[in-house]
Amino acid sequence: MSTSTEQPITPSLPDQPQNDYVRPIHSEDERVVKTLIGLGIMEGLPKANNKIILNPLCVITILTLGYFLNRLMSFMPDEKIISWFTALIGPCLASLPILGLVEYIQRPHFIALLRRTMGKSDLVKFDGYCSEGKSKGWVFVHNDQIVGTILVDIQKPGKKLVSVLGDEEGQVNLDKQLLENGENKEKSTNPNLRKRKSTGVSVNTTSNNGIVQIRHLAVDSPYRQSSIPLDLLIEALDQSFNVQNQNKVIIKLGYFCSNEIINALKKVGFVKLTSQQVKGFEFKLEVPESIGLLGWKGCWMIVSKEVYEVKKEGIVVRK
């Protein structure tokens, strides 16, 4: 009787998950990444329209105009029950031109923001910007499709990037050469950089006080309620804190940023900076752009390494 025992066979694991995973950004991801960022900007338009339409002043205007239309067209209610439904015709007719006017006024604001964002250096020079270490990016792949992305600016946190596109179609910034001149200047000011031996850890070439900025965080709307925003944030924060040895991470949010993204940021420890904190920050932060008819402004949020490590312990991330 043989006493030898068979060793269990361990199945070989694939080099890369086939379903859901986070990976570094590639140059061929440019179109999809820009699409996700653009969709995140333009989805604020219907939210802005709703803010105007549901404003009490706008509601009173619609009801008042509707009342006069009902009087003019003899749709006022009488003793018949059906007449109470016809009384709604006036407000409905009055709301149609108001809805169109609000859309007509606010859409150019969001189109201009979209053009300025797409024309900035981190997206115009997508491949070169990431490969030179000025930005690090990751994407979330679900069933072989990119459904989320995050871009982290290592070199110019809090600073306003130059945009080569104007607010309207066909407009081009005459100072677009500043992008190339600025990069050439950085290379020429220290020629010894070429002689340095590259290492696995990126070197921070500017004085940012150990702070980096998340420039873009975008997830396709059907997947925002999942753990995808958290997966992207944790990957970016782990790289920033543990690999890049940074101390804090900041992010500038638009006023109409989705609630799912904001909740994910809060789960990993991000807190909103007050106006006084922004003014007294370690270096000058870019002023959030106003958007829409009423000039809604976004905000800055920040998280430190210590807070993130405490928050991460209580987060279950899908692997």
Side-chain angles (χ1 to χ4, degrees):
M1 182 173 167
S2 177
T3 59
S4 62
T5 59
E6 297 182 356
Q7 295 294 330
I9 300 175
T10 304
S12 59
L13 298 177
D15 296 334
Q16 191 177 45
Q18 299 300 314
N19 293 324
D20 300 339
Y21 58 94
V22 179
R23 64 165 173 80
I25 209 166
H26 299 156
S27 59
E28 57 267 20
D29 302 330
E30 179 177 0
R31 178 172 296 183
V32 181
V33 168
K34 289 183 177 181
T35 300
L36 289 173
I37 296 173
L39 289 174
I41 294 174
M42 292 307 298
E43 73 176 11
L45 178 58
K47 296 179 181 179
N49 292 343
N50 289 338
K51 294 279 286 186
I52 297 295
I53 297 300
L54 298 179
N55 188 287
L57 181 60
C58 185
V59 173
I60 292 174
T61 302
I62 292 175
L63 294 177
T64 303
L65 293 176
Y67 171 79
F68 286 109
L69 286 175
N70 285 338
R71 291 288 300 268
L72 182 64
M73 297 182 294
S74 300
F75 287 147
M76 297 299 292
D78 52 24
E79 66 276 2
K80 297 180 180 180
I81 298 179
I82 192 66
S83 65
W84 290 95
F85 293 98
T86 60
L88 299 175
I89 297 178
C92 290
L93 291 176
S95 64
L96 290 177
I98 294 178
L99 288 172
L101 181 62
V102 171
E103 172 80 11
Y104 177 78
I105 294 175
Q106 296 204 118
R107 177 171 285 273
H109 292 267
F110 287 87
I111 294 295
L113 177 60
L114 176 64
R115 287 179 55 82
R116 290 195 300 269
T117 303
M118 293 300 163
K120 289 182 179 178
S121 59
D122 59 334
L123 296 181
V124 169
K125 300 186 177 182
F126 186 83
D127 186 29
Y129 195 74
C130 294
S131 62
E132 292 175 5
K134 296 179 182 178
S135 175
K136 296 295 181 182
W138 296 267
V139 293
F140 191 98
V141 180
H142 172 71
N143 291 337
D144 298 327
Q145 292 185 349
I146 297 176
V147 297
T149 184
I150 187 168
L151 285 174
V152 179
D153 188 349
I154 299 174
Q155 194 176 59
K156 298 180 180 179
K159 296 181 180 180
K160 185 176 181 179
L161 300 180
V162 179
S163 179
V164 299
L165 296 178
D167 291 348
E168 298 181 3
E169 187 70 26
Q171 288 186 351
V172 179
N173 189 353
L174 297 178
D175 295 331
K176 61 182 179 180
Q177 297 296 329
L178 289 175
L179 294 174
E180 299 178 359
N181 294 340
E183 293 178 355
N184 294 334
K185 183 177 179 180
E186 290 174 2
K187 295 178 181 179
S188 61
T189 51
N190 195 347
N192 294 326
L193 287 176
R194 294 183 178 179
K195 301 178 181 179
R196 291 182 181 176
K197 205 171 184 179
S198 60
T199 60
V201 179
S202 300
V203 179
N204 185 14
T205 58
T206 61
S207 177
N208 57 10
N209 298 327
I211 300 175
V212 297
Q213 177 185 352
I214 298 176
R215 284 285 178 185
H216 305 284
L217 174 58
V219 179
D220 200 8
S221 55
Y223 304 96
R224 287 178 189 161
Q225 294 184 354
S226 64
S227 65
I228 292 178
L230 274 177
D231 292 344
L232 289 169
L233 280 170
I234 288 177
E235 180 69 26
L237 293 178
D238 282 344
Q239 291 288 326
S240 299
F241 289 138
N242 300 327
V243 178
Q244 301 293 338
N245 295 323
Q246 306 295 332
N247 299 322
K248 297 177 183 177
V249 175
I250 57 178
I251 183 173
K252 185 185 69 171
L253 296 180
Y255 184 86
F256 295 104
C257 181
S258 65
N259 293 328
E260 294 83 1
I261 297 295
I262 295 176
N263 292 335
L265 289 167
K266 291 180 178 179
K267 285 181 181 179
V268 296
F270 277 90
V271 293
K272 181 180 178 181
L273 290 175
T274 63
S275 57
Q276 295 297 328
Q277 289 175 324
V278 171
K279 292 180 181 178
F281 201 68
E282 299 178 26
F283 50 82
K284 186 177 181 180
L285 294 175
E286 175 188 0
V287 178
E289 297 182 88
S290 59
I291 190 69
L293 187 61
L294 299 183
W296 295 287
K297 284 190 176 183
C299 65
W300 284 95
M301 299 186 74
I302 189 171
V303 63
S304 64
K305 182 177 181 179
E306 295 76 15
V307 173
Y308 167 69
E309 289 177 347
V310 173
K311 292 287 185 178
K312 184 182 176 182
E313 294 178 357
I315 298 176
V316 178
V317 183
R318 186 176 67 244
K319 298 296 183 181

